[in-house]
Amino acid sequence: EVQLVQSGAEVKKPGESLKISCEGSEYTFTTYWIAWVRQMPGKGLEWMGIIYPGDSDTRYSPSFKGQVTISADKSISTAYLQWSSLKASDTAIYYCLRRGKSSGGYPVNWFDPWGQGTLVTVSS
Amino acid sequence: QSALTQPASVSGSPGQSITISCTGTSSDIGGYNYVSWYQQHPGKAPKLIIYDVSNRPSGVSSRFSGSKSGNTASLTISGLQAEDEADYHCSSYTSSSTLNWVFGGGTKLTVL
């Protein structure tokens, strides 16, 4: 079964750095885009960015560009989302999700599966 | 404010049908057949239930169906069941952002 397994919940103070992870299994990690989505408490979903682990091609939503860094280590089938200086407003659940492919192998515009989510709490 | 507009909440009784709308623009929903819907139960990750406007992934109940007219996409759930109570999020491809997808604000479905 194709799975994305994310790292565990984190509690951090404002100003601290953080890197959370998303490990893919049971598929060829390097040939599928991985996206990150934020869900703030009681709110909807927001696209943050996406990476192609095969060549590390990365795109960001304008709202998140410069605020986070998305990366991947294809040797261990893992994507990352990191912050250099957290703010209280970064408190949210973060999901990684795999972009689908057509039967012809082309990337499509739907995402499945999703990781289980990582809760990040930033509080002094 | 989300790029796509969904009602905050809808409700229905078991056995009834409900429809959740998702309104965008000609740069997203109206311009492409790339609308997807995700179901999210409390405390769980979202799950894909409709892709490319009206297609269901393997394993998703046929009670879920999707459609589109102009700039508005719709998710219909027929024969409502208690287990359908969840949040539903629409998403669309968009040409108006450097990251080519947008979400709606999500709709809370309550089964009365």
Side-chain angles (χ1 to χ4, degrees):
Chain A
E1 178 194 0
V2 173
Q3 272 194 311
L4 296 175
V5 178
Q6 298 185 227
S7 50
E10 301 273 2
V11 179
K12 292 289 190 179
K13 292 183 171 21
E16 291 187 331
S17 63
L18 176 64
K19 191 173 191 177
I20 63 175
S21 66
C22 167
E23 182 180 2
S25 62
E26 301 302 321
Y27 74 96
T28 305
F29 184 75
T30 53
T31 63
Y32 285 80
W33 292 84
I34 293 285
W36 287 93
V37 163
R38 181 175 79 175
Q39 187 169 38
M40 298 178 77
K43 301 296 185 184
L45 304 170
E46 301 171 86
W47 293 103
M48 299 178 71
I50 194 167
I51 187 166
Y52 189 73
D55 61 6
S56 292
D57 183 6
T58 307
R59 292 104 187 259
Y60 293 93
S61 163
S63 301
F64 291 93
K65 191 172 177 64
Q67 308 305 308
V68 297
T69 301
I70 294 170
S71 61
D73 184 341
K74 55 188 179 185
S75 69
I76 54 171
S77 300
T78 300
Y80 300 98
L81 177 65
Q82 69 180 90
W83 296 258
S84 58
S85 180
L86 286 159
K87 310 187 233 343
S89 57
D90 293 318
T91 294
I93 298 173
Y94 295 87
Y95 294 100
C96 62
L97 34 162
R98 190 187 78 162
R99 186 179 183 185
K101 269 196 207 174
S102 68
S103 53
Y106 296 101
V108 294
N109 294 293
W110 44 266
F111 293 78
D112 180 65
W114 293 48
Q116 82 277 21
T118 296
L119 173 62
V120 174
T121 304
V122 184
S123 174
S124 54
Chain B
Q1 189 168 358
S2 302
L4 305 178
T5 301
Q6 297 181 237
S9 63
V10 298
S11 62
S13 299
Q16 287 186 330
S17 293
I18 63 94
T19 296
I20 298 171
S21 62
C22 174
T23 302
T25 69
S26 57
S27 296
D28 39 67
I29 292 176
Y32 309 92
N33 289 322
Y34 297 140
V35 178
S36 50
W37 290 89
Y38 301 88
Q39 177 192 57
Q40 184 179 28
H41 286 110
K44 299 293 187 184
K47 170 193 163 189
L48 177 70
I49 56 171
I50 294 288
Y51 66 93
D52 294 349
V53 176
S54 60
N55 294 289
R56 277 189 314 277
S58 173
V60 173
S61 171
S62 59
R63 298 185 299 104
F64 293 90
S65 62
S67 62
K68 187 187 91 166
S69 177
N71 295 339
T72 297
S74 299
L75 172 71
T76 297
I77 309 173
S78 59
L80 265 183
Q81 299 179 0
E83 69 207 47
D84 299 331
E85 185 161 296
D87 292 330
Y88 292 85
H89 307 271
C90 62
S91 177
S92 174
Y93 177 88
T94 177
S95 59
S96 61
S97 173
T98 52
L99 193 65
N100 294 114
W101 302 280
V102 288
F103 279 115
T107 298
K108 168 70 178 172
L109 168 61
T110 301
V111 180
L112 302 169

